[in-house]
Amino acid sequence: MPSIYVNIFLAFIFALLGMLIYRSHLMSSLLCLEGMMLSLFILITLTALNMHFTLSFMFPIVLLVFAACEAAIGLALLVMVSNTYGMDYVQNLNLLQC
Amino acid sequence: MTYMVFLLSVMFVIGFVGFASKPSPIYGGLGLIVSGGVGCGIILSFGGSFLGLMMFLIYLGGMLVVFGYTTAMATEEYPETWGSNIMILSMFVLGVLLEAGLVMFMAVSDEVEVVVSFKNMGDWVIFEGDEVGLIREDSMGVAALYSYGSWLMVVAGWSLFVSIFIVIEITRGG
């Protein structure tokens, strides 16, 4: 396996850790989710380019399509949270108190 | 400059550490733009020019612009950057030190073995197939979405269409 992949995997793991560990903004976690999608796109593209799997170049495009859908819905939720509470702080989401 | 692409992937990881250390989202978007540009450079070095262009157009030019103005709408008055909070700076330095340690390890032993072994020698294996003449493999692969992947195209198009209605329904509010 080429040695670049260890850096792409490490980037995915950093973005995953960044998404799971909250600081104050909800938007930072959405950005880390986009980073995960970016690293997956680059990983599958490099695999298809190295192995010359021509037909599997469909997969990064479809991954980008579904990542765009997911980003749009995440941003819509963030906009509604921001309209209700003024800011998108995670500590505002405290209706469920258990 | 044999290891030029490896240096590009190191810059990719440092860009990721820049937004995973969670400064204010506007600076996180900046780190994602840098990582996206460097990632496009990595794809171009392997010969995938169509997919690099796709990444710049769709990802950086479409999705990150939307993130940028949504962040501008929901941001605070004094956004905190990497130097303004010791927590963000220390997480960033920790990530850069981890990456530097990995690069040193790779430079010394030329192989990293976690589950599989990441060696450089794998690049020299050429998979031969039938001669199909001169095609651009990435453009032809994506164009196969219309022929072999027509059902995938229908599903993806329909899910994009439905997600517009989902977004309208969410932002209708109450």
Side-chain angles (χ1 to χ4, degrees):
Chain A
M1 194 170 284
S3 57
I4 297 167
Y5 285 6
V6 69
N7 275 329
I8 313 288
F9 285 153
L10 194 62
F12 179 79
I13 289 172
F14 278 142
L16 180 66
L17 282 176
M19 196 186 78
L20 295 177
I21 300 175
Y22 281 162
R23 283 192 70 237
S24 41
H25 281 277
L26 192 64
M27 184 71 174
S28 311
S29 295
L30 286 183
L31 277 173
C32 289
L33 195 64
E34 285 310 304
M36 283 164 65
M37 290 295 144
L38 175 68
S39 69
L40 283 177
F41 178 86
I42 294 193
L43 192 65
I44 184 65
T45 306
L46 290 185
T47 306
L49 279 167
N50 270 335
M51 306 277 182
H52 300 286
F53 278 160
T54 306
L55 278 183
S56 79
F57 280 107
M58 288 191 261
F59 185 31
I61 306 295
V62 174
L63 180 72
L64 220 52
V65 166
F66 288 118
C69 289
E70 160 190 357
I73 294 175
L75 283 175
L77 288 171
L78 185 132
V79 161
M80 288 318 287
V81 167
S82 175
N83 276 349
T84 313
Y85 292 105
M87 292 292 299
D88 64 333
Y89 286 147
V90 176
Q91 68 206 27
N92 286 332
L93 307 173
N94 56 0
L95 287 178
L96 184 70
Q97 291 161 357
C98 57
Chain B
M1 275 283 120
T2 316
Y3 291 98
M4 172 69 131
V5 188
F6 191 72
L7 289 179
L8 278 180
S9 67
V10 168
M11 281 168 53
F12 183 71
V13 174
I14 293 180
F16 263 64
V17 170
F19 71 79
S21 59
K22 307 271 227 350
S24 184
I26 196 68
Y27 294 108
L30 188 67
L32 197 55
I33 289 175
V34 166
S35 288
V38 172
C40 174
I42 296 176
I43 296 178
L44 287 176
S45 308
F46 276 82
S49 48
F50 179 68
L51 282 160
L53 182 70
M54 180 69 64
M55 233 203 61
F56 256 110
L57 273 179
I58 310 295
Y59 193 82
L60 296 185
M63 292 160 63
L64 278 191
V65 164
V66 174
F67 268 93
Y69 62 68
T70 308
T71 307
M73 187 198 76
T75 187
E76 57 219 353
E77 191 180 2
Y78 294 106
E80 50 183 15
T81 172
W82 292 284
S84 68
N85 192 353
I86 191 65
M87 193 66 188
I88 303 174
L89 185 66
S90 57
M91 287 298 120
F92 183 73
V93 166
L94 182 67
V96 171
L97 282 178
L98 269 174
E99 178 62 22
L102 184 73
V103 169
M104 289 300 135
F105 190 63
M106 179 78 75
V108 162
S109 75
D110 209 21
E111 172 191 3
V112 172
E113 173 141 14
V114 180
V115 175
V116 297
S117 135
F118 295 96
K119 282 173 75 78
N120 272 325
M121 286 300 125
D123 291 344
W124 293 104
V125 177
I126 310 267
F127 292 92
E128 284 294 331
D130 302 335
E131 280 299 320
V132 290
L134 191 67
I135 62 166
R136 295 292 310 171
E137 58 180 358
D138 51 352
S139 310
M140 293 303 118
V142 174
L145 258 177
Y146 291 101
S147 59
Y148 290 107
S150 56
W151 179 240
L152 189 59
M153 176 75 96
V154 169
V155 167
W158 184 251
S159 75
L160 273 174
F161 184 62
V162 169
S163 76
I164 292 183
F165 285 106
I166 294 176
V167 167
I168 289 177
E169 192 63 36
I170 291 176
T171 53
R172 189 152 57 139

